[in-house]
Amino acid sequence: MRLSKIGVIQHYFGLFLAWLLLNRAALERPGTTPAMLLFLLGSAAIVACACAADDVVGYRNGSDAINYQEGETLRDIRKKPLLSGAVTERQAIGFAISAGAAALLAGALAFWVLRWQAPAEAYVIYAAGFFFSVQYSVGMKVSYRRGGGETLLCLSTAAGLLAPFLAVNREWTRAAVIQSLLLGLWLVMVSSYSNMNDAEGDRSVGRKTLAVTATPTVITAMQMVLFLTSTSLLIWISLGDLPRWTLLASLPTIALHGAQLFHGPHKKNWLRARNLGLIAYNFGFAGLALPMLFS
């Protein structure tokens, strides 16, 4: 479970929002519930495969040993089972391969349950989300390219909502696109602060995150742009696609993201800012889900 990060429930927020966004016809269509459950299983398997592969690379190149150094009080080394010795490298590789196979099988079964009647975009987004997520640290090593990790994290998170939504709903909606982008942005607003804390370890292995390659001024500007973009999208969706009180429900998220800017760029307490981002992500999900449930 620690190797797969399956306990990080934030990875599945997109699937649950996709379910809430389905129109009445899609909800009543035969196969919807089993398909969404299979997509949930596929999402968990994609995350497990990508995270296990990333842990293997981090263990081999020593970056995890630097980032989870002894004396770090805000990180638990048990979250890195290769580093703690709980699993062997061979076991981790076998697990990653098995998880990848499970992701492909679950996705195929989900589309089969829908009688292969999903739009072509749904197949493309699911396949691309799986392929590029696994390439984060291995293969193409997207995260080793400047801005690649941040871009991939945003788009793969968005795909976790859009692929199942399109497959079942069979048409795009503005609300689905905006919410998928919000989830992607919010996760980048976690990773960007985490990367600042991990800059030394990433630099030592050639991983070109923005924290490694950009100046502090550029990093601060990017984090402010993320904050403003997130807030603007929340206002937009509250005024157009969801009940007006969605904006009220989103105020805790906006406030926590503002606190990130204070603890991060201002105080240089990057892990504190990262943890606030995770809390904001949870509140953001609730702020979108609750209005949809009641409406």
Side-chain angles (χ1 to χ4, degrees), residues 11-204:
H11 289 303
Y12 318 119
F13 284 173
L15 187 285
F16 294 121
L17 289 180
W19 212 328
L20 291 173
L21 283 161
L22 294 175
N23 60 39
R24 185 174 299 276
L27 286 170
E28 295 176 351
R29 190 177 297 125
T32 291
T33 297
M36 294 300 281
L37 291 174
L38 284 165
F39 278 126
L40 176 59
L41 178 61
S43 296
I46 290 173
V47 171
C49 179
C51 289
D54 183 59
D55 274 13
V56 170
V57 173
Y59 175 73
R60 284 179 173 178
N61 63 27
S63 60
D64 281 349
I66 296 174
N67 296 333
Y68 283 74
Q69 58 189 315
E70 186 178 356
E72 176 60 78
T73 58
L74 293 180
R75 283 185 162 179
D76 186 353
I77 195 174
R78 291 177 299 176
K79 294 180 180 179
K80 293 290 183 180
L82 276 165
L83 204 58
S84 67
V87 299
T88 66
E89 184 177 334
R90 182 178 179 181
Q91 289 173 326
I93 293 172
F95 177 79
I97 294 172
S98 300
L104 291 174
L105 179 61
L109 287 174
F111 287 111
W112 175 74
V113 167
L114 296 172
R115 300 180 181 180
W116 307 104
Q117 295 181 9
E121 303 98 297
Y123 295 94
V124 172
I125 293 173
Y126 185 86
F130 168 66
F131 176 79
F132 286 106
S133 293
V134 177
Q135 304 296 311
Y136 183 80
S137 296
V138 301
M140 296 174 63
K141 294 188 174 181
V142 177
S143 66
Y144 285 74
R145 306 174 188 273
R146 185 174 186 180
E150 292 83 359
T151 302
L152 174 60
L153 188 62
C154 180
L155 295 181
S156 61
T157 302
L161 186 157
L162 287 176
F165 175 77
L166 273 175
V168 178
N169 203 66
R170 298 182 182 176
E171 61 181 1
W172 296 84
T173 66
R174 183 173 63 178
V177 173
I178 293 176
Q179 291 191 38
S180 70
L181 289 176
L182 279 170
L183 290 183
L185 288 173
W186 290 343
L187 213 52
V188 172
M189 292 168 79
V190 175
S191 71
S192 65
Y193 291 93
S194 183
N195 288 342
M196 289 298 292
N197 185 78
D198 297 345
E200 180 182 347
D202 289 337
R203 185 180 293 109
S204 68

